[in-house]
Amino acid sequence: MDAALALQMGEAVAEKVLRYRRDPSGWRICRQGDGVSVSWRPSVEFPGNLYRGEGIVDGTPGSVWDYVKPLAGSLREQWDENVTSFEIIQSFTDTLCVTRTATPSAAMRLISPRDFVDVVLVRKYEDGTICSNASNVEHTLCPPKPGYVRGFNHPCGCFCEPVPGEPSKTRVVTFFQTDLRGSLPQSVVDAFFPRSMAGLYANLQKAVRSLQPGERETQPQQRCTRVWTGSQSAAEDGRAHPHVCCDGLK
């Protein structure tokens, strides 16, 4: 993929996600508890919903970011039960890349495994906020793989924001608008996302608390993130980010 095109796509996604963050209108709460709220509003990108999650996590923005960043050295596979594998398909800079994420079956296998290929751009803001921005992209090194339904992420993102007066806490705001594809009943999709997002916050908090400060500095180096190059076969291995397979409904 051309680097200039990837940057152009990434910047466009980042602007959309920032608008989502700044626009308080139209959100309807669908799940709330344990300091986490999940809300939704109709997506303008596809015939589905845009979901918004928000919660406070104990940990500095930098330490929390280490667990959620969709970049090389990500710890996501270690704590997120909805991620079975994560790969860097193509890296342009330390803040711009193409990734593949695979997810396991879910909702009692009604949702079969899926994978997602996204262009990802990371932005840092003057107030200390770090934000990942991602959206679907097609890539020659990552064609559809057997055993996975190729899902489609419309603009989505994750903000790790400082909490004024509380330097050891982070406000995590997430946006998802994912087309799982296949033949899933809308009721299954509508039930899955709020529950899954609430679980993400609980698992993230457990993960951040599980390591001591010194361990956080070294743990990312203990994980191997696979990076694909042009010389590698697109048929090699096949696990990545969000959902794919063929048991149950597709």
Side-chain angles (χ1 to χ4, degrees), residues 6-144:
L7 179 60
Q8 181 182 13
M9 293 177 64
E11 291 286 0
V13 172
E15 288 302 314
K16 284 188 177 183
V17 174
L18 185 59
R19 288 198 295 270
Y20 299 158
R21 180 67 185 96
R22 291 174 172 174
D23 183 4
S25 63
W27 296 105
R28 307 174 189 176
I29 293 178
C30 54
R31 192 179 184 98
Q32 192 168 29
D34 297 323
V36 176
S37 67
V38 180
S39 53
W40 68 277
R41 69 186 188 193
S43 171
V44 299
E45 301 288 339
F46 78 118
N49 296 326
L50 168 62
Y51 290 93
R52 179 185 190 275
E54 181 172 348
I56 302 295
V57 175
D58 291 330
T60 65
S63 63
V64 174
W65 173 251
D66 282 341
Y67 287 87
V68 299
K69 63 182 180 182
L71 301 173
S74 172
L75 301 174
R76 195 70 176 265
E77 292 175 59
Q78 297 184 9
W79 62 269
D80 190 343
E81 61 187 17
N82 288 315
V83 173
T84 55
S85 65
F86 174 84
E87 302 171 79
I88 304 294
I89 304 301
Q90 186 176 5
S91 181
F92 303 101
T93 69
D94 59 356
T95 59
L96 179 66
C97 60
V98 175
T99 68
R100 177 177 180 265
T101 309
T103 58
S105 59
M108 300 180 67
R109 296 185 178 272
L110 291 176
I111 301 175
S112 56
R114 277 156 170 76
D115 70 345
F116 301 79
V117 179
D118 301 301
V119 60
V120 177
L121 176 68
V122 172
R123 275 186 172 181
K124 296 183 179 181
Y125 296 94
E126 291 184 357
D127 66 350
T129 294
I130 312 173
C131 178
S132 64
N133 309 274
S135 187
N136 179 81
V137 70
E138 293 186 1
H139 200 288
T140 56
L141 288 178
C142 197

Side-chain angles (χ1 to χ4, degrees), residues 105 109-113 244-250:
S105 59
R109 296 185 178 272
L110 291 176
I111 301 175
S112 56
V244 189
C245 216
C246 301
D247 50 355
L249 295 173
K250 297 181 181 178

Side-chain angles (χ1 to χ4, degrees), residues 182-245:
S183 305
L184 289 169
Q186 190 60 42
S187 60
V188 172
V189 176
D190 292 344
F192 169 73
F193 276 109
R195 182 175 63 251
S196 175
M197 291 176 68
L200 180 147
Y201 282 85
N203 291 331
L204 173 59
Q205 183 64 87
K206 290 177 183 177
V208 174
R209 286 175 175 168
S210 68
L211 296 180
Q212 298 300 315
E215 293 177 302
R216 288 183 187 140
E217 296 175 2
T218 59
Q219 186 69 15
Q221 300 176 7
Q222 297 172 0
R223 179 189 175 282
C224 178
T225 299
R226 182 180 176 192
V227 178
W228 289 25
T229 66
S231 62
Q232 289 174 300
S233 169
E236 292 178 334
D237 189 18
R239 299 174 62 192
H241 182 99
H243 322 56
V244 189
C245 216

